Amino acid sequence: MNKQSFSIIGSNGVPAEYGGFETLAENLVHNLIDDYRMEVFCSKPNQSVELREYNGAKLTYLPLKANGWQSFFYDFFSTIKAFFTSDILLILGPSCGLILPLNMLFKRIVMTNHGGLNEWERESYSPFKRRFSWLNHYVAAKFSNINIVDNIELQKSLRKNFKAKSIVIRYGGDHVLTSKQIDYSS
């Protein structure tokens, strides 16, 4: 049996040492590795040794940070590579949602976890960054096969702001084996 390939984009990588998206990535690797060929995109590690794999998942390092101003480029290059190598892309935070229309060419299953509530409204962001964040969320919401949120309020916000449907999956991903099967064909 030929396994489908599954890429996780947008976290700092595994093993989890940073936060919620990394914990999610680690739980998915542990629980789905028997069913998928997994690849996790990772920021350059603080230590000098890069792992080639983790629990059977291939680790691909980029010389960029997954957070801050580099996140757009980190996600951009990860997503482009994944379009060529993966059947399923899980994007954790749509900092480069603008490139998702390219999936019309690749026809991959794209799942986007939208992360925090209305990031485009953060007062700490400049007006440009707010507009850019809103645009990335908007395009990601429209061009993802599945939009994922971690709470009901964000689900309501995606529906109100982008007229996008989403499913609620609470953080952590440790319940992945008990969740109902998702039909990717719709």
Side-chain angles (χ1 to χ4, degrees):
M1 178 178 140
N2 195 11
K3 293 181 184 180
Q4 284 188 304
S5 53
F6 187 114
S7 287
I8 301 174
I9 299 162
S11 77
N12 283 287
V14 292
E17 295 178 0
Y18 189 77
F21 279 160
E22 289 71 29
T23 302
L24 172 62
E26 185 164 332
N27 281 318
L28 290 173
V29 166
H30 283 293
N31 289 303
L32 298 178
I33 196 65
D34 291 336
D35 300 319
Y36 298 94
R37 284 180 289 116
M38 308 268 316
E39 179 176 22
V40 180
F41 289 89
C42 306
S43 288
K44 281 286 187 191
N46 290 333
Q47 66 274 17
S48 60
V49 177
E50 292 180 5
L51 300 173
R52 293 184 189 269
E53 71 170 47
Y54 178 76
N55 196 51
K58 176 183 176 184
L59 303 184
T60 300
Y61 292 91
L62 282 86
L64 297 164
K65 294 182 179 183
N67 301 304
W69 69 269
Q70 294 182 8
S71 65
F72 174 84
F73 302 102
Y74 177 81
D75 289 354
F76 177 88
F77 291 118
S78 300
T79 303
I80 293 296
K81 181 182 183 296
F83 275 146
F84 285 98
T85 61
S86 294
D87 301 308
I88 302 167
L89 286 69
L90 173 60
I91 299 172
L92 302 173
S95 65
C96 75
L98 288 173
I99 67 165
L100 291 184
L102 286 176
N103 194 36
M104 292 187 294
L105 299 172
F106 293 98
K107 309 239 186 279
R108 304 296 187 232
I109 297 167
V110 175
M111 299 180 287
T112 300
N113 184 318
H114 286 266
L117 181 61
N118 298 0
E119 288 197 2
W120 57 90
E121 293 178 352
R122 286 188 181 185
E123 290 185 19
S124 61
Y125 284 0
S126 68
F128 171 78
K129 191 167 182 178
R130 279 189 226 145
R131 284 190 294 274
F132 190 69
S133 178
W134 183 91
L135 186 59
N136 276 300
H137 277 273
Y138 174 79
V139 174
K142 297 297 183 184
F143 286 91
S144 295
N145 301 84
I146 300 169
N147 290 295
I148 302 166
V149 296
D150 65 359
N151 65 74
I152 299 294
E153 290 306 312
L154 184 51
Q155 184 178 51
K156 290 177 187 175
S157 176
L158 284 184
R159 189 178 317 119
K160 176 185 169 198
N161 288 293
F162 310 130
K163 296 180 181 31
K165 293 180 181 178
S166 60
I167 60 170
V168 175
I169 301 176
R170 308 239 182 263
Y171 260 136
D174 53 349
H175 56 286
V176 68
L177 293 178
T178 60
S179 295
K180 67 179 183 177
Q181 247 344 44
I182 297 173
D183 180 9
Y184 297 116
S185 61
S186 55

